[in-house]
Amino acid sequence: MAPDGRPTRRPWLSAVAVSVPVALLLCLMTAGTVGPAGTLLLTVITTTAVAALLWAVIGARQQRRVYEDRLTAWAAERAAAAERLRIARELHDLVSHGLGLVTVRAATAARMTGPTGEAERAAALSDIEQVGRETTAELRRMLDVLRAPGAEPAPLRPPDTLDALPEIVRSTTAAGIVATVEVRKVGEVPPGVQLAVCAIVREGLSNTARHAGPTRVHVTVDRDGDAIVVEVRDTGPRPGWRPRAGAGHGLNGLRERVSMLDGALRAGPAGPGFQLTARLPAGRSG
């Protein structure tokens, strides 16, 4: 078995098929073929060699069928593992973004005092209801994808593009975040890179909501030569805000996604705030 678990073949039957005739030939050369005994020995050796070759051929075919079955099972397991990882990543994005906004919006409204407090709490309940409905609908869509084989395929939404960024940023206003987005002249961007950009922005905004609360965030998407550079930077937590630590799977998932595109990801403090920067190869601008 290979280091990655891939099944391997052991061609021992071929070795047997070659070694048996060679051994018999050596015996024949030693004993000679003169007289009745030599003729009988030649017949026995020839018959044995033919039988060994037939046995090796039949065994090799059976071995190949077993190997192909094992290889098919291994490939299916690899595909299933990759799909589970993709679904886990999408579920994390969904839960982290949607439910994170609900948590932050509720926490913000609970701290509102004064004459506008009651109105703010009512607005927060409305926002929470809307985000909760959207998140539930997405969860149902993903559960439909996981239905038993043979069921009708669930309707799938189109993949995110850069045109979705304003809506992604706008959705954070429900958490009290003041976010802006600036997409500069980036030219043509491959669909896979556009999808990754949207995932990076979502994760960056979710991190801001958890760790900084209602604050200001600026999102920039720009081109630098052959690469698309995405930057999500906030101005730091609001005074008195208590960060809500996550499991760390979001950034790990982003690093994996970015590395698959041969890109680079940096995340760390930037002044009083936090900055997430990704550089994704995207080819020449059109």
Short mmCIF file of all heavy atoms in Angstrom, two decimals, residues 12-85:
data_model
loop_
_atom_site.label_atom_id
_atom_site.label_comp_id
_atom_site.label_asym_id
_atom_site.label_seq_id
_atom_site.Cartn_x
_atom_site.Cartn_y
_atom_site.Cartn_z
N TRP A 12 4.07 -10.83 -7.97
CA TRP A 12 4.80 -12.06 -7.65
C TRP A 12 4.44 -13.19 -8.61
O TRP A 12 5.24 -14.09 -8.85
CB TRP A 12 4.52 -12.48 -6.22
CG TRP A 12 3.06 -12.73 -5.91
CD1 TRP A 12 2.16 -11.81 -5.50
CD2 TRP A 12 2.37 -13.97 -5.99
NE1 TRP A 12 0.93 -12.38 -5.31
CE2 TRP A 12 1.04 -13.73 -5.61
CE3 TRP A 12 2.74 -15.27 -6.34
CZ2 TRP A 12 0.06 -14.71 -5.56
CZ3 TRP A 12 1.78 -16.27 -6.31
CH2 TRP A 12 0.46 -15.99 -5.93
N LEU A 13 3.22 -13.14 -9.18
CA LEU A 13 2.84 -14.18 -10.12
C LEU A 13 3.73 -14.16 -11.37
O LEU A 13 4.09 -15.20 -11.91
CB LEU A 13 1.37 -14.03 -10.51
CG LEU A 13 0.35 -14.43 -9.44
CD1 LEU A 13 -1.06 -14.10 -9.90
CD2 LEU A 13 0.46 -15.92 -9.12
N SER A 14 4.07 -12.96 -11.80
CA SER A 14 4.95 -12.85 -12.97
C SER A 14 6.33 -13.44 -12.66
O SER A 14 6.94 -14.10 -13.50
CB SER A 14 5.09 -11.38 -13.37
OG SER A 14 3.83 -10.84 -13.71
N ALA A 15 6.79 -13.20 -11.43
CA ALA A 15 8.09 -13.76 -11.05
C ALA A 15 8.05 -15.28 -11.05
O ALA A 15 8.98 -15.96 -11.49
CB ALA A 15 8.49 -13.23 -9.68
N VAL A 16 6.92 -15.84 -10.57
CA VAL A 16 6.78 -17.29 -10.56
C VAL A 16 6.74 -17.83 -11.98
O VAL A 16 7.36 -18.85 -12.31
CB VAL A 16 5.52 -17.70 -9.77
CG1 VAL A 16 5.25 -19.20 -9.93
CG2 VAL A 16 5.68 -17.34 -8.30
N ALA A 17 5.98 -17.13 -12.85
CA ALA A 17 5.83 -17.58 -14.22
C ALA A 17 7.17 -17.61 -14.96
O ALA A 17 7.39 -18.42 -15.85
CB ALA A 17 4.85 -16.67 -14.96
N VAL A 18 8.09 -16.74 -14.58
CA VAL A 18 9.40 -16.70 -15.22
C VAL A 18 10.36 -17.68 -14.56
O VAL A 18 11.13 -18.38 -15.24
CB VAL A 18 9.97 -15.26 -15.17
CG1 VAL A 18 11.40 -15.24 -15.68
CG2 VAL A 18 9.10 -14.33 -16.01
N SER A 19 10.33 -17.74 -13.23
CA SER A 19 11.32 -18.55 -12.52
C SER A 19 11.10 -20.04 -12.70
O SER A 19 12.06 -20.82 -12.78
CB SER A 19 11.30 -18.21 -11.03
OG SER A 19 10.03 -18.46 -10.47
N VAL A 20 9.84 -20.49 -12.78
CA VAL A 20 9.58 -21.92 -12.93
C VAL A 20 10.15 -22.47 -14.23
O VAL A 20 10.89 -23.47 -14.23
CB VAL A 20 8.07 -22.21 -12.79
CG1 VAL A 20 7.78 -23.66 -13.21
CG2 VAL A 20 7.61 -21.99 -11.36
N PRO A 21 9.85 -21.89 -15.40
CA PRO A 21 10.45 -22.41 -16.63
C PRO A 21 11.97 -22.36 -16.62
O PRO A 21 12.65 -23.25 -17.15
CB PRO A 21 9.86 -21.52 -17.72
CG PRO A 21 8.60 -21.00 -17.14
CD PRO A 21 8.87 -20.84 -15.69
N VAL A 22 12.54 -21.29 -16.04
CA VAL A 22 13.99 -21.17 -16.00
C VAL A 22 14.59 -22.30 -15.16
O VAL A 22 15.60 -22.93 -15.54
CB VAL A 22 14.41 -19.80 -15.43
CG1 VAL A 22 15.91 -19.76 -15.15
CG2 VAL A 22 14.03 -18.70 -16.41
N ALA A 23 13.97 -22.59 -14.01
CA ALA A 23 14.46 -23.67 -13.16
C ALA A 23 14.37 -25.02 -13.86
O ALA A 23 15.29 -25.84 -13.81
CB ALA A 23 13.68 -23.69 -11.85
N LEU A 24 13.25 -25.22 -14.53
CA LEU A 24 13.09 -26.48 -15.26
C LEU A 24 14.07 -26.59 -16.42
O LEU A 24 14.58 -27.68 -16.71
CB LEU A 24 11.65 -26.59 -15.77
CG LEU A 24 10.57 -26.72 -14.67
CD1 LEU A 24 9.18 -26.71 -15.30
CD2 LEU A 24 10.78 -27.98 -13.86
N LEU A 25 14.35 -25.49 -17.08
CA LEU A 25 15.32 -25.51 -18.17
C LEU A 25 16.71 -25.86 -17.66
O LEU A 25 17.45 -26.61 -18.30
CB LEU A 25 15.34 -24.14 -18.87
CG LEU A 25 16.30 -24.00 -20.06
CD1 LEU A 25 15.95 -25.02 -21.15
CD2 LEU A 25 16.26 -22.58 -20.60
N LEU A 26 17.05 -25.34 -16.48
CA LEU A 26 18.34 -25.69 -15.89
C LEU A 26 18.42 -27.18 -15.57
O LEU A 26 19.46 -27.83 -15.79
CB LEU A 26 18.59 -24.86 -14.63
CG LEU A 26 18.83 -23.35 -14.85
CD1 LEU A 26 18.92 -22.62 -13.51
CD2 LEU A 26 20.10 -23.13 -15.66
N CYS A 27 17.32 -27.71 -15.07
CA CYS A 27 17.30 -29.16 -14.80
C CYS A 27 17.48 -29.96 -16.08
O CYS A 27 18.20 -30.97 -16.12
CB CYS A 27 15.97 -29.53 -14.13
SG CYS A 27 15.78 -28.88 -12.46
N LEU A 28 16.83 -29.48 -17.16
CA LEU A 28 16.94 -30.17 -18.43
C LEU A 28 18.36 -30.14 -18.97
O LEU A 28 18.88 -31.13 -19.48
CB LEU A 28 15.97 -29.53 -19.44
CG LEU A 28 15.93 -30.14 -20.85
CD1 LEU A 28 15.46 -31.59 -20.77
CD2 LEU A 28 15.00 -29.34 -21.76
N MET A 29 19.00 -28.99 -18.81
CA MET A 29 20.38 -28.86 -19.29
C MET A 29 21.31 -29.75 -18.48
O MET A 29 22.30 -30.29 -18.99
CB MET A 29 20.82 -27.40 -19.20
CG MET A 29 20.08 -26.47 -20.17
SD MET A 29 20.53 -24.75 -19.94
CE MET A 29 22.27 -24.81 -20.31
N THR A 30 21.01 -29.92 -17.22
CA THR A 30 21.86 -30.75 -16.37
C THR A 30 21.69 -32.23 -16.68
O THR A 30 22.65 -33.00 -16.78
CB THR A 30 21.55 -30.48 -14.89
OG1 THR A 30 21.74 -29.10 -14.62
CG2 THR A 30 22.44 -31.31 -13.99
N ALA A 31 20.43 -32.64 -16.86
CA ALA A 31 20.16 -34.07 -17.06
C ALA A 31 20.37 -34.50 -18.50
O ALA A 31 20.69 -35.66 -18.77
CB ALA A 31 18.73 -34.39 -16.63
N GLY A 32 20.17 -33.59 -19.44
CA GLY A 32 20.28 -33.95 -20.85
C GLY A 32 19.01 -34.61 -21.36
O GLY A 32 18.11 -34.95 -20.60
N THR A 33 18.93 -34.82 -22.67
CA THR A 33 17.72 -35.38 -23.30
C THR A 33 18.01 -36.65 -24.08
O THR A 33 17.26 -37.04 -24.97
CB THR A 33 17.12 -34.33 -24.25
OG1 THR A 33 18.10 -33.98 -25.24
CG2 THR A 33 16.70 -33.09 -23.51
N VAL A 34 19.14 -37.32 -23.78
CA VAL A 34 19.51 -38.53 -24.50
C VAL A 34 18.75 -39.72 -23.93
O VAL A 34 18.70 -39.91 -22.71
CB VAL A 34 21.04 -38.77 -24.42
CG1 VAL A 34 21.40 -40.05 -25.16
CG2 VAL A 34 21.78 -37.57 -24.98
N GLY A 35 18.16 -40.54 -24.81
CA GLY A 35 17.49 -41.76 -24.39
C GLY A 35 16.08 -41.53 -23.94
O GLY A 35 15.57 -40.40 -23.88
N PRO A 36 15.36 -42.65 -23.62
CA PRO A 36 13.96 -42.56 -23.17
C PRO A 36 13.80 -41.70 -21.92
O PRO A 36 12.83 -40.96 -21.79
CB PRO A 36 13.59 -44.01 -22.89
CG PRO A 36 14.55 -44.81 -23.72
CD PRO A 36 15.83 -44.02 -23.73
N ALA A 37 14.74 -41.79 -21.01
CA ALA A 37 14.64 -40.99 -19.76
C ALA A 37 14.69 -39.51 -20.08
O ALA A 37 13.97 -38.70 -19.49
CB ALA A 37 15.75 -41.38 -18.80
N GLY A 38 15.57 -39.15 -21.01
CA GLY A 38 15.66 -37.74 -21.38
C GLY A 38 14.40 -37.25 -22.05
O GLY A 38 13.94 -36.12 -21.82
N THR A 39 13.81 -38.11 -22.91
CA THR A 39 12.56 -37.72 -23.58
C THR A 39 11.44 -37.54 -22.56
O THR A 39 10.65 -36.58 -22.63
CB THR A 39 12.17 -38.79 -24.62
OG1 THR A 39 13.22 -38.96 -25.56
CG2 THR A 39 10.89 -38.38 -25.35
N LEU A 40 11.37 -38.48 -21.60
CA LEU A 40 10.34 -38.36 -20.57
C LEU A 40 10.53 -37.10 -19.73
O LEU A 40 9.58 -36.38 -19.41
CB LEU A 40 10.39 -39.60 -19.66
CG LEU A 40 9.38 -39.61 -18.49
CD1 LEU A 40 7.95 -39.55 -19.01
CD2 LEU A 40 9.60 -40.84 -17.62
N LEU A 41 11.80 -36.82 -19.41
CA LEU A 41 12.10 -35.61 -18.62
C LEU A 41 11.72 -34.35 -19.40
O LEU A 41 11.16 -33.40 -18.84
CB LEU A 41 13.58 -35.57 -18.26
CG LEU A 41 14.05 -34.36 -17.43
CD1 LEU A 41 13.28 -34.29 -16.10
CD2 LEU A 41 15.55 -34.43 -17.18
N LEU A 42 11.99 -34.35 -20.70
CA LEU A 42 11.63 -33.20 -21.53
C LEU A 42 10.12 -33.00 -21.56
O LEU A 42 9.62 -31.86 -21.46
CB LEU A 42 12.16 -33.40 -22.95
CG LEU A 42 11.81 -32.31 -23.97
CD1 LEU A 42 12.36 -30.96 -23.52
CD2 LEU A 42 12.31 -32.69 -25.35
N THR A 43 9.38 -34.11 -21.65
CA THR A 43 7.91 -34.01 -21.67
C THR A 43 7.39 -33.46 -20.34
O THR A 43 6.51 -32.59 -20.31
CB THR A 43 7.30 -35.39 -21.94
OG1 THR A 43 7.80 -35.89 -23.19
CG2 THR A 43 5.79 -35.32 -21.99
N VAL A 44 7.94 -33.98 -19.24
CA VAL A 44 7.50 -33.51 -17.91
C VAL A 44 7.80 -32.03 -17.73
O VAL A 44 6.97 -31.26 -17.24
CB VAL A 44 8.17 -34.35 -16.82
CG1 VAL A 44 7.88 -33.75 -15.44
CG2 VAL A 44 7.68 -35.79 -16.87
N ILE A 45 9.01 -31.63 -18.14
CA ILE A 45 9.40 -30.22 -17.98
C ILE A 45 8.52 -29.31 -18.82
O ILE A 45 8.06 -28.24 -18.37
CB ILE A 45 10.89 -30.06 -18.34
CG1 ILE A 45 11.75 -30.70 -17.24
CG2 ILE A 45 11.23 -28.59 -18.49
CD1 ILE A 45 13.22 -30.67 -17.57
N THR A 46 8.27 -29.74 -20.06
CA THR A 46 7.43 -28.91 -20.94
C THR A 46 6.02 -28.78 -20.39
O THR A 46 5.44 -27.68 -20.35
CB THR A 46 7.39 -29.53 -22.35
OG1 THR A 46 8.72 -29.65 -22.85
CG2 THR A 46 6.56 -28.66 -23.28
N THR A 47 5.47 -29.92 -19.94
CA THR A 47 4.11 -29.90 -19.39
C THR A 47 4.04 -29.02 -18.14
O THR A 47 3.10 -28.22 -17.95
CB THR A 47 3.65 -31.32 -19.05
OG1 THR A 47 3.73 -32.14 -20.22
CG2 THR A 47 2.22 -31.32 -18.52
N THR A 48 5.03 -29.15 -17.28
CA THR A 48 5.05 -28.36 -16.05
C THR A 48 5.18 -26.87 -16.35
O THR A 48 4.54 -26.02 -15.72
CB THR A 48 6.21 -28.81 -15.15
OG1 THR A 48 6.09 -30.21 -14.89
CG2 THR A 48 6.20 -28.04 -13.83
N ALA A 49 6.03 -26.54 -17.33
CA ALA A 49 6.23 -25.13 -17.68
C ALA A 49 4.95 -24.52 -18.24
O ALA A 49 4.56 -23.40 -17.89
CB ALA A 49 7.36 -25.01 -18.70
N VAL A 50 4.26 -25.29 -19.12
CA VAL A 50 3.00 -24.79 -19.67
C VAL A 50 1.96 -24.62 -18.57
O VAL A 50 1.23 -23.61 -18.52
CB VAL A 50 2.50 -25.75 -20.77
CG1 VAL A 50 1.08 -25.36 -21.21
CG2 VAL A 50 3.43 -25.73 -21.97
N ALA A 51 1.87 -25.60 -17.67
CA ALA A 51 0.91 -25.50 -16.56
C ALA A 51 1.22 -24.30 -15.67
O ALA A 51 0.31 -23.58 -15.21
CB ALA A 51 0.93 -26.79 -15.74
N ALA A 52 2.51 -24.05 -15.41
CA ALA A 52 2.90 -22.90 -14.57
C ALA A 52 2.52 -21.58 -15.24
O ALA A 52 2.04 -20.64 -14.59
CB ALA A 52 4.40 -22.95 -14.30
N LEU A 53 2.72 -21.54 -16.58
CA LEU A 53 2.37 -20.31 -17.29
C LEU A 53 0.86 -20.08 -17.27
O LEU A 53 0.41 -18.95 -17.06
CB LEU A 53 2.88 -20.40 -18.73
CG LEU A 53 4.39 -20.25 -18.92
CD1 LEU A 53 4.78 -20.52 -20.36
CD2 LEU A 53 4.86 -18.86 -18.50
N LEU A 54 0.06 -21.14 -17.49
CA LEU A 54 -1.39 -20.98 -17.45
C LEU A 54 -1.86 -20.56 -16.06
O LEU A 54 -2.71 -19.68 -15.91
CB LEU A 54 -2.05 -22.31 -17.85
CG LEU A 54 -1.94 -22.69 -19.33
CD1 LEU A 54 -2.54 -24.08 -19.56
CD2 LEU A 54 -2.64 -21.66 -20.20
N TRP A 55 -1.29 -21.18 -15.03
CA TRP A 55 -1.64 -20.81 -13.65
C TRP A 55 -1.32 -19.35 -13.38
O TRP A 55 -2.08 -18.62 -12.74
CB TRP A 55 -0.90 -21.73 -12.69
CG TRP A 55 -1.06 -21.33 -11.24
CD1 TRP A 55 -2.11 -21.61 -10.43
CD2 TRP A 55 -0.14 -20.57 -10.46
NE1 TRP A 55 -1.92 -21.07 -9.18
CE2 TRP A 55 -0.70 -20.42 -9.17
CE3 TRP A 55 1.12 -20.00 -10.73
CZ2 TRP A 55 -0.06 -19.74 -8.15
CZ3 TRP A 55 1.76 -19.32 -9.71
CH2 TRP A 55 1.17 -19.19 -8.44
N ALA A 56 -0.15 -18.90 -13.87
CA ALA A 56 0.26 -17.51 -13.64
C ALA A 56 -0.65 -16.54 -14.37
O ALA A 56 -1.03 -15.48 -13.84
CB ALA A 56 1.70 -17.32 -14.09
N VAL A 57 -1.05 -16.88 -15.61
CA VAL A 57 -1.93 -15.99 -16.38
C VAL A 57 -3.29 -15.87 -15.71
O VAL A 57 -3.83 -14.77 -15.53
CB VAL A 57 -2.07 -16.52 -17.83
CG1 VAL A 57 -3.19 -15.76 -18.56
CG2 VAL A 57 -0.76 -16.37 -18.58
N ILE A 58 -3.88 -17.01 -15.32
CA ILE A 58 -5.19 -16.97 -14.65
C ILE A 58 -5.10 -16.22 -13.32
O ILE A 58 -5.95 -15.39 -12.98
CB ILE A 58 -5.70 -18.41 -14.43
CG1 ILE A 58 -5.95 -19.08 -15.79
CG2 ILE A 58 -6.97 -18.40 -13.59
CD1 ILE A 58 -6.30 -20.55 -15.69
N GLY A 59 -4.03 -16.52 -12.56
CA GLY A 59 -3.86 -15.82 -11.29
C GLY A 59 -3.66 -14.33 -11.45
O GLY A 59 -4.16 -13.53 -10.66
N ALA A 60 -2.92 -13.94 -12.51
CA ALA A 60 -2.68 -12.52 -12.75
C ALA A 60 -3.98 -11.80 -13.08
O ALA A 60 -4.19 -10.66 -12.65
CB ALA A 60 -1.67 -12.35 -13.88
N ARG A 61 -4.86 -12.45 -13.84
CA ARG A 61 -6.14 -11.82 -14.16
C ARG A 61 -6.98 -11.63 -12.91
O ARG A 61 -7.61 -10.59 -12.70
CB ARG A 61 -6.89 -12.67 -15.18
CG ARG A 61 -6.27 -12.63 -16.59
CD ARG A 61 -7.07 -13.49 -17.55
NE ARG A 61 -6.51 -13.40 -18.89
CZ ARG A 61 -6.96 -14.09 -19.93
NH1 ARG A 61 -7.99 -14.94 -19.76
NH2 ARG A 61 -6.41 -13.95 -21.13
N GLN A 62 -7.02 -12.66 -12.06
CA GLN A 62 -7.77 -12.53 -10.81
C GLN A 62 -7.18 -11.45 -9.91
O GLN A 62 -7.89 -10.66 -9.29
CB GLN A 62 -7.78 -13.88 -10.08
CG GLN A 62 -8.57 -14.96 -10.81
CD GLN A 62 -8.50 -16.30 -10.10
OE1 GLN A 62 -7.64 -16.51 -9.24
NE2 GLN A 62 -9.40 -17.21 -10.46
N GLN A 63 -5.85 -11.42 -9.86
CA GLN A 63 -5.18 -10.40 -9.05
C GLN A 63 -5.49 -9.00 -9.56
O GLN A 63 -5.69 -8.07 -8.78
CB GLN A 63 -3.67 -10.65 -9.06
CG GLN A 63 -2.88 -9.74 -8.11
CD GLN A 63 -1.39 -9.94 -8.26
OE1 GLN A 63 -0.82 -9.68 -9.32
NE2 GLN A 63 -0.75 -10.44 -7.20
N ARG A 64 -5.54 -8.86 -10.88
CA ARG A 64 -5.82 -7.55 -11.46
C ARG A 64 -7.26 -7.11 -11.13
O ARG A 64 -7.50 -5.94 -10.82
CB ARG A 64 -5.63 -7.58 -12.97
CG ARG A 64 -5.92 -6.24 -13.64
CD ARG A 64 -5.59 -6.25 -15.11
NE ARG A 64 -5.87 -4.96 -15.72
CZ ARG A 64 -5.04 -3.92 -15.69
NH1 ARG A 64 -3.88 -4.04 -15.07
NH2 ARG A 64 -5.37 -2.77 -16.25
N ARG A 65 -8.21 -8.07 -11.17
CA ARG A 65 -9.59 -7.72 -10.83
C ARG A 65 -9.69 -7.26 -9.36
O ARG A 65 -10.38 -6.29 -9.05
CB ARG A 65 -10.52 -8.91 -11.08
CG ARG A 65 -10.85 -9.13 -12.56
CD ARG A 65 -12.04 -10.07 -12.69
NE ARG A 65 -11.71 -11.42 -12.23
CZ ARG A 65 -11.24 -12.37 -13.01
NH1 ARG A 65 -11.03 -12.12 -14.30
NH2 ARG A 65 -10.99 -13.57 -12.52
N VAL A 66 -9.01 -7.99 -8.49
CA VAL A 66 -9.02 -7.59 -7.07
C VAL A 66 -8.39 -6.22 -6.90
O VAL A 66 -8.90 -5.37 -6.15
CB VAL A 66 -8.27 -8.65 -6.22
CG1 VAL A 66 -8.09 -8.15 -4.79
CG2 VAL A 66 -9.02 -9.97 -6.23
N TYR A 67 -7.28 -5.99 -7.60
CA TYR A 67 -6.60 -4.69 -7.50
C TYR A 67 -7.50 -3.57 -8.00
O TYR A 67 -7.58 -2.50 -7.38
CB TYR A 67 -5.31 -4.74 -8.31
CG TYR A 67 -4.68 -3.40 -8.55
CD1 TYR A 67 -4.02 -2.72 -7.53
CD2 TYR A 67 -4.76 -2.79 -9.80
CE1 TYR A 67 -3.45 -1.48 -7.74
CE2 TYR A 67 -4.19 -1.54 -10.02
CZ TYR A 67 -3.53 -0.89 -9.00
OH TYR A 67 -2.97 0.34 -9.22
N GLU A 68 -8.17 -3.79 -9.13
CA GLU A 68 -9.04 -2.75 -9.67
C GLU A 68 -10.22 -2.47 -8.74
O GLU A 68 -10.63 -1.31 -8.58
CB GLU A 68 -9.54 -3.16 -11.05
CG GLU A 68 -8.45 -3.14 -12.12
CD GLU A 68 -8.94 -3.64 -13.46
OE1 GLU A 68 -10.07 -4.21 -13.51
OE2 GLU A 68 -8.21 -3.48 -14.47
N ASP A 69 -10.75 -3.52 -8.11
CA ASP A 69 -11.84 -3.31 -7.14
C ASP A 69 -11.35 -2.49 -5.95
O ASP A 69 -12.04 -1.57 -5.48
CB ASP A 69 -12.39 -4.65 -6.66
CG ASP A 69 -13.15 -5.40 -7.75
OD1 ASP A 69 -13.52 -4.75 -8.75
OD2 ASP A 69 -13.33 -6.63 -7.61
N ARG A 70 -10.17 -2.83 -5.45
CA ARG A 70 -9.60 -2.07 -4.32
C ARG A 70 -9.30 -0.64 -4.72
O ARG A 70 -9.52 0.30 -3.94
CB ARG A 70 -8.34 -2.76 -3.81
CG ARG A 70 -8.58 -4.10 -3.14
CD ARG A 70 -7.27 -4.81 -2.83
NE ARG A 70 -6.43 -3.99 -1.98
CZ ARG A 70 -5.12 -4.20 -1.81
NH1 ARG A 70 -4.52 -5.20 -2.46
NH2 ARG A 70 -4.43 -3.42 -1.01
N LEU A 71 -8.81 -0.45 -5.94
CA LEU A 71 -8.50 0.90 -6.40
C LEU A 71 -9.77 1.73 -6.56
O LEU A 71 -9.79 2.92 -6.20
CB LEU A 71 -7.75 0.82 -7.74
CG LEU A 71 -7.22 2.15 -8.30
CD1 LEU A 71 -6.20 2.76 -7.35
CD2 LEU A 71 -6.59 1.93 -9.68
N THR A 72 -10.83 1.11 -7.06
CA THR A 72 -12.11 1.81 -7.19
C THR A 72 -12.64 2.22 -5.83
O THR A 72 -13.13 3.35 -5.64
CB THR A 72 -13.12 0.93 -7.92
OG1 THR A 72 -12.62 0.60 -9.23
CG2 THR A 72 -14.46 1.64 -8.06
N ALA A 73 -12.57 1.30 -4.86
CA ALA A 73 -13.04 1.61 -3.50
C ALA A 73 -12.21 2.73 -2.88
O ALA A 73 -12.74 3.63 -2.21
CB ALA A 73 -12.98 0.36 -2.62
N TRP A 74 -10.89 2.69 -3.10
CA TRP A 74 -10.01 3.74 -2.56
C TRP A 74 -10.36 5.10 -3.16
O TRP A 74 -10.44 6.11 -2.46
CB TRP A 74 -8.56 3.39 -2.88
CG TRP A 74 -7.58 4.46 -2.52
CD1 TRP A 74 -7.04 4.74 -1.30
CD2 TRP A 74 -7.01 5.42 -3.42
NE1 TRP A 74 -6.18 5.79 -1.38
CE2 TRP A 74 -6.14 6.23 -2.66
CE3 TRP A 74 -7.14 5.65 -4.79
CZ2 TRP A 74 -5.41 7.28 -3.24
CZ3 TRP A 74 -6.43 6.69 -5.36
CH2 TRP A 74 -5.56 7.49 -4.58
N ALA A 75 -10.58 5.13 -4.49
CA ALA A 75 -10.92 6.40 -5.15
C ALA A 75 -12.26 6.93 -4.65
O ALA A 75 -12.42 8.15 -4.46
CB ALA A 75 -10.96 6.20 -6.66
N ALA A 76 -13.22 6.02 -4.42
CA ALA A 76 -14.52 6.46 -3.91
C ALA A 76 -14.39 7.04 -2.50
O ALA A 76 -15.03 8.05 -2.17
CB ALA A 76 -15.49 5.28 -3.90
N GLU A 77 -13.55 6.42 -1.67
CA GLU A 77 -13.34 6.93 -0.31
C GLU A 77 -12.68 8.31 -0.35
O GLU A 77 -13.04 9.20 0.43
CB GLU A 77 -12.48 5.96 0.49
CG GLU A 77 -13.20 4.66 0.84
CD GLU A 77 -12.28 3.68 1.56
OE1 GLU A 77 -11.10 4.04 1.78
OE2 GLU A 77 -12.74 2.58 1.90
N ARG A 78 -11.71 8.47 -1.25
CA ARG A 78 -11.05 9.78 -1.37
C ARG A 78 -12.04 10.84 -1.81
O ARG A 78 -12.04 11.97 -1.29
CB ARG A 78 -9.92 9.67 -2.39
CG ARG A 78 -8.77 8.78 -1.98
CD ARG A 78 -7.70 9.52 -1.25
NE ARG A 78 -7.06 10.51 -2.10
CZ ARG A 78 -5.86 11.03 -1.87
NH1 ARG A 78 -5.17 10.61 -0.83
NH2 ARG A 78 -5.34 11.95 -2.65
N ALA A 79 -12.88 10.51 -2.79
CA ALA A 79 -13.88 11.47 -3.27
C ALA A 79 -14.87 11.83 -2.17
O ALA A 79 -15.25 13.00 -2.00
CB ALA A 79 -14.60 10.91 -4.49
N ALA A 80 -15.29 10.81 -1.40
CA ALA A 80 -16.23 11.06 -0.31
C ALA A 80 -15.60 11.94 0.77
O ALA A 80 -16.25 12.85 1.30
CB ALA A 80 -16.70 9.74 0.30
N ALA A 81 -14.33 11.70 1.07
CA ALA A 81 -13.64 12.51 2.08
C ALA A 81 -13.51 13.96 1.62
O ALA A 81 -13.71 14.89 2.40
CB ALA A 81 -12.26 11.93 2.37
N ALA A 82 -13.19 14.15 0.34
CA ALA A 82 -13.09 15.51 -0.20
C ALA A 82 -14.43 16.22 -0.17
O ALA A 82 -14.51 17.41 0.15
CB ALA A 82 -12.54 15.46 -1.63
N GLU A 83 -15.50 15.47 -0.47
CA GLU A 83 -16.83 16.08 -0.45
C GLU A 83 -17.24 16.43 0.97
O GLU A 83 -17.83 17.49 1.22
CB GLU A 83 -17.84 15.11 -1.07
CG GLU A 83 -19.25 15.67 -1.19
CD GLU A 83 -19.36 16.83 -2.17
OE1 GLU A 83 -18.37 17.10 -2.89
OE2 GLU A 83 -20.42 17.49 -2.19
N ARG A 84 -16.93 15.54 1.93
CA ARG A 84 -17.25 15.85 3.33
C ARG A 84 -16.51 17.11 3.79
O ARG A 84 -17.06 17.94 4.51
CB ARG A 84 -16.89 14.67 4.22
CG ARG A 84 -17.85 13.50 4.12
CD ARG A 84 -17.65 12.52 5.27
NE ARG A 84 -16.34 11.90 5.23
CZ ARG A 84 -16.07 10.76 4.61
NH1 ARG A 84 -17.02 10.13 3.96
NH2 ARG A 84 -14.85 10.26 4.63
N LEU A 85 -15.25 17.26 3.36
CA LEU A 85 -14.48 18.44 3.74
C LEU A 85 -15.09 19.69 3.14
O LEU A 85 -15.18 20.74 3.79
CB LEU A 85 -13.03 18.28 3.27
CG LEU A 85 -12.07 19.41 3.64
CD1 LEU A 85 -11.98 19.58 5.14
CD2 LEU A 85 -10.70 19.15 3.04
#
